[in-house]
Amino acid sequence: MNRMISVLRKYVRNTSGTILVMFAIMAPIIIGSAGMALDFAHAYLVQQRLAQAIDAAALAATAQATDEATIEQKVKDFFEVNYPEEKLGATFDPVVVVEGNQVKVTGRAEYLTFFLSVIGIHEILVEAETTVQREVQGIEVVLVLDNTGSMASENDEGIENIEALKIASRNFISTLFENTSNPESIKIGMVPYSNSVRVGRYGLGRNPDNSIYANGYVFVNLPSGISYTTSHNSASGWYGCVVEHKQTNYNAAATHVSGSAGQLWRTGSGTGCNTADKCRGHGWAPNSTTNDPYDYDVLDNYEGKWDIYMYGRLVANNEKCSDLDSNSYDFSNSTPSRCSSCSGSGGKCNATYCYCMVGTSGSQDDGPNTGCPYAYIMPLTSDEEALYDRIDEMRPDGNTLGNIGMAWGYRLISPEAPFEEGAPWDNPYWRKVVVMMTDGDNTENTYYSSYWFTNKNNMSVTKFNTRFAETCEAMKEQGVIIYTVTFNYEDQHGNPVISENTRNYYRNCASSPDQYYDAPTQEELIDVFEQISRELSNLHITG
């Protein structure tokens, strides 16, 4: 036993130097490995804090801002205030990239090492990125509503269709506002239509209460001798509807022909349309039967000016207004003051062309505002009560020109003049929607409409339908969501009031088959509007 202990002591004495040498060699590796693990563990924690920081900054910025530059600045501000360098180490400004509804934020930070610096590694660069899918914060909706004469039809209980439309429209508006905690995120406009649309005082740079609108921008020509009126049955006042125009051949310096109520404009000197070549001052040529405002009646590329809508007739030299009388309308042959240059024998036209303003006598007369909707356009607004007031003004009158209603719906939802309340087309925070409703096929008035005198244009129902389709496609290309509704009740003979051809146009106009509705009863019309409004309530952030 003593011998064995002696041998062991001798071995230890002989190898202790070698172990110390080996330990001396391995110590830096062992310590370095442990230090490296600690440094990388701390770097990972910094990376996690960085990821949390850019997540929070991105969410905070996209919840408060709209445009790319503002989002980027808010990300940096939030990042700087809430995650200073002492929390993360040296940091770099986060990089913000906005692509459509996505906001991508990338951040970097430097972790200053402790152990690794011994071997020359003084910092570790860490990165993190996040992508936030922005939700639509607001919604703009334009209701394009049929206010034509057929909306006076009644159901079995004696309730007019226009009253059902009023209920449906009110419910639509109330549903949207009830489902948001921020009324400013809802903007609704209205386009009641028939032969034309009523832009009213807006066209004169005024609000309905006569206060200044749009900095006083005037987009309607109101000629001398004609004043704005709030009476639909006014014998001579302009009620607020307009005639479509093409900018070609439009001469801003043209002179209004006295007594023509803004329907004849001449170039050069003189007072009347004494020669045909000088009587096309505003794009319409009285000596032509092919006048056509295309494509200014389809696209949102015309900002005015528009001429006023004044229902009447155009007659040629030596004709009397009564020569074209249908006995449904009184053109007051005995009152030359209602005719431009009707100073010839027996009140005949004493110029190349004359305009005859329709009278107000007779059971079927509405005067020069025949076919002009009682309710005027409502630009996009968040004023819920003002929208209800506008609905209350709706009354049935006139023929169906749904394509013109849709064109003005396009002009309302657009950010360009004449109505500029709409958000920019590329603003990802606002969703744009048009709800288009009709109770009948497009029809051409016998004498006058938005397309000026019927015997002086080359329009037809086929063209109305085709242009309606073009307007729909143009809006969809701009990202507008379109819902269409055909109020297809049965007439007194039990036949649907809307043809299959028209239903197809409305079906194709909608953004998808699921966004087209055919409502055969007043109750279903009301239900459809409520269903659409509930769908739209889910398209925006409610708080």
Side-chain angles (χ1 to χ4, degrees):
M1 177 64 82
N2 290 335
R3 184 184 176 105
M4 290 177 63
I5 293 173
S6 176
V7 170
L8 182 60
R9 286 175 178 172
K10 184 177 180 180
Y11 174 79
V12 170
R13 284 195 301 269
N14 292 338
T15 60
S16 59
T18 302
I19 293 173
L20 289 175
V21 171
M22 291 180 63
F23 181 78
I25 293 172
M26 294 297 296
I29 298 174
I30 295 171
I31 296 172
S33 298
M36 183 182 297
L38 289 173
D39 274 334
F40 278 114
H42 281 291
Y44 175 76
L45 291 176
V46 170
Q47 194 272 343
Q48 292 300 300
R49 293 194 189 104
L50 179 65
Q52 294 171 3
I54 64 170
D55 281 347
L59 289 170
T62 53
Q64 300 174 30
T66 56
D67 62 278
E68 183 172 354
T70 305
I71 290 174
E72 182 174 3
Q73 189 57 51
K74 286 188 175 293
V75 167
K76 292 178 180 179
D77 292 344
F78 187 93
F79 193 81
E80 181 179 347
V81 171
N82 294 280
Y83 295 91
E85 289 189 11
E86 56 268 23
K87 282 193 173 185
L88 297 172
T91 59
F92 302 88
D93 283 341
V95 176
V96 181
V97 177
V98 179
E99 295 179 350
N101 282 346
Q102 289 189 335
V103 178
K104 182 178 180 180
V105 182
T106 304
R108 293 188 300 166
E110 283 183 348
Y111 165 69
L112 301 179
T113 63
F114 180 74
F115 292 101
L116 290 178
S117 59
V118 175
I119 58 175
I121 301 175
H122 300 288
E123 69 275 333
I124 298 174
L125 184 65
V126 296
E127 292 186 339
E129 67 176 41
T130 188
T131 300
V132 176
Q133 181 72 31
R134 292 189 294 174
E135 297 293 338
V136 176
Q137 285 190 320
I139 186 167
E140 297 175 341
V141 187
V142 172
L143 299 174
V144 183
L145 305 174
D146 190 324
N147 277 212
T148 56
S150 56
M151 289 296 289
S153 300
E154 299 178 349
N155 66 2
D156 293 339
E157 286 76 39
I159 301 173
E160 286 190 349
N161 289 336
I162 195 71
E163 295 303 320
L165 179 60
K166 289 180 181 180
I167 294 170
S169 301
R170 290 191 196 100
N171 291 351
F172 180 95
I173 292 167
S174 65
T175 297
L176 281 177
F177 280 105
E178 285 171 1
N179 284 279
T180 181
S181 58
N182 178 18
E184 296 300 317
S185 69
I186 303 292
K187 291 193 288 185
I188 299 176
M190 291 174 53
V191 180
Y193 72 90
S194 56
N195 270 16
S196 180
V197 299
R198 186 183 175 203
V199 300
R201 281 197 174 102
Y202 293 119
L204 306 177
R206 299 279 176 170
N207 286 300
D209 63 2
N210 209 30
S211 60
I212 297 295
Y213 170 73
N215 296 317
Y217 174 66
V218 176
F219 59 86
V220 172
N221 286 305
L222 188 63
S224 59
I226 301 293
S227 59
Y228 177 75
T229 180
T230 56
S231 171
H232 191 276
N233 295 323
S234 170
S236 60
W238 175 62
Y239 192 59
C241 282
V242 292
V243 174
E244 291 300 310
H245 265 301
K246 187 169 184 174
Q247 199 165 13
T248 307
N249 296 321
Y250 185 95
N251 186 342
T255 305
H256 166 235
V257 174
S258 177
S260 72
Q263 304 307 294
L264 297 174
W265 296 78
R266 63 162 289 132
T267 56
S269 60
T271 59
C273 283
N274 296 320
T275 58
D277 62 328
K278 291 185 177 181
C279 204
R280 187 175 183 167
H282 279 189
W284 295 100
N287 62 325
S288 172
T289 59
T290 59
N291 290 290
D292 191 343
Y294 184 80
D295 57 4
Y296 288 78
D297 62 326
V298 171
L299 305 177
D300 180 43
N301 56 2
Y302 182 64
E303 298 181 358
K305 293 184 175 181
W306 281 266
D307 282 344
I308 64 174
Y309 172 110
M310 297 291 279
Y311 196 102
R313 308 283 180 81
L314 193 68
V315 297
N317 181 262
N318 210 35
E319 288 182 338
K320 295 187 296 185
C321 294
S322 57
D323 289 344
L324 300 178
D325 197 356
S326 66
N327 296 320
S328 295
Y329 297 96
D330 173 19
F331 285 88
S332 303
N333 178 46
S334 60
T335 311
S337 63
R338 299 190 68 77
C339 179
S340 62
S341 300
C342 288
S343 55
S345 175
K348 292 181 179 180
C349 175
N350 199 26
T352 305
Y353 293 101
C354 296
Y355 163 74
C356 300
M357 184 188 299
V358 69
T360 56
S361 62
S363 60
Q364 299 185 46
D365 289 350
D366 276 326
N369 300 304
T370 299
C372 178
Y374 284 79
Y376 50 87
I377 277 178
M378 170 64 85
L380 289 167
T381 181
S382 299
D383 188 337
E384 186 176 357
E385 293 304 318
L387 289 163
Y388 295 143
D389 291 342
R390 194 59 45 87
I391 290 171
D392 291 339
E393 296 167 358
M394 296 196 306
R395 290 176 58 183
D397 183 57
N399 295 89
T400 305
L401 283 182
N403 58 305
I404 292 300
M406 200 59 156
W408 282 96
Y410 193 2
R411 291 163 186 163
L412 242 65
I413 204 77
S414 163
E416 287 90 28
F419 296 99
E420 299 179 326
E421 289 80 5
W425 291 116
D426 59 354
N427 188 330
Y429 275 85
W430 286 89
R431 191 74 57 87
K432 293 177 181 284
V433 180
V434 169
V435 180
M436 172 70 183
M437 169 266 167
T438 189
D439 84 325
D441 301 334
N442 279 329
T443 55
E444 187 170 21
N445 187 276
T446 305
Y447 305 115
Y448 187 85
S449 70
S450 289
Y451 289 96
W452 209 47
F453 300 106
T454 301
N455 65 346
K456 293 297 179 180
N457 64 47
N458 65 344
M459 299 307 297
S460 65
V461 170
T462 298
K463 286 189 176 181
F464 296 151
N465 291 338
T466 300
R467 294 184 188 186
F468 171 74
E470 286 188 49
T471 302
C472 294
E473 290 306 311
M475 284 196 289
K476 286 188 284 190
E477 287 177 7
Q478 292 276 31
V480 178
I481 300 171
I482 300 178
Y483 289 82
T484 56
V485 181
T486 48
F487 181 24
N488 195 24
Y489 55 92
E490 294 182 348
D491 62 18
Q492 58 183 345
H493 304 294
N495 299 316
V497 295
I498 302 177
S499 68
E500 183 61 28
N501 185 53
T502 294
R503 290 200 294 273
N504 284 334
Y505 274 107
Y506 275 70
R507 187 179 291 109
N508 293 333
C509 175
S511 293
S512 73
D514 292 338
Q515 288 163 315
Y516 163 72
Y517 298 88
D518 191 54
T521 67
Q522 292 182 359
E523 291 76 13
E524 288 177 89
L525 178 68
I526 294 169
D527 289 344
V528 163
F529 270 64
E530 185 165 355
Q531 180 177 339
I532 295 172
S533 63
R534 293 197 180 282
E535 287 182 19
L536 296 181
S537 295
N538 297 322
L539 288 181
H540 70 283
I541 293 175
T542 57

